[in-house]
Amino acid sequence: MRPFGSLGLGDAPLVGGKTASLGELRDLIGSGPIGGPDGFAVTAKPYCDALTAAGSGAELHALLDDFDISNVAELSRRARWRATSSTR
């Protein structure tokens, strides 16, 4: 885990782009009158380790490895399938 205050845009591969941007924002406006968000990021490695420990990695790969990210309709179909299959 890494606190937002230690993150910048260069940390995107480690924590993702949105979270790295929060760290950058906190650094830029943190001492101003508005202040920046405080918090932490879970880095990619522990997140992947948790997926592996839960046995979710193989299922996610089966669901997403052949996925075309420009196909929004297919994303919706797969998300609905996953949501209904997890409640069974």
Side-chain angles (χ1 to χ4, degrees), residues 50-82:
L51 288 177
T52 300
S56 300
E59 182 180 0
L60 286 172
H61 277 287
L63 194 62
L64 299 173
D65 278 352
D66 66 340
F67 182 66
D68 173 6
I69 63 169
S70 65
N71 189 341
V72 177
E74 179 63 9
L75 173 62
S76 178
R77 186 191 72 75
R78 290 183 190 201
R80 280 193 310 273
W81 173 84
R82 178 64 185 108

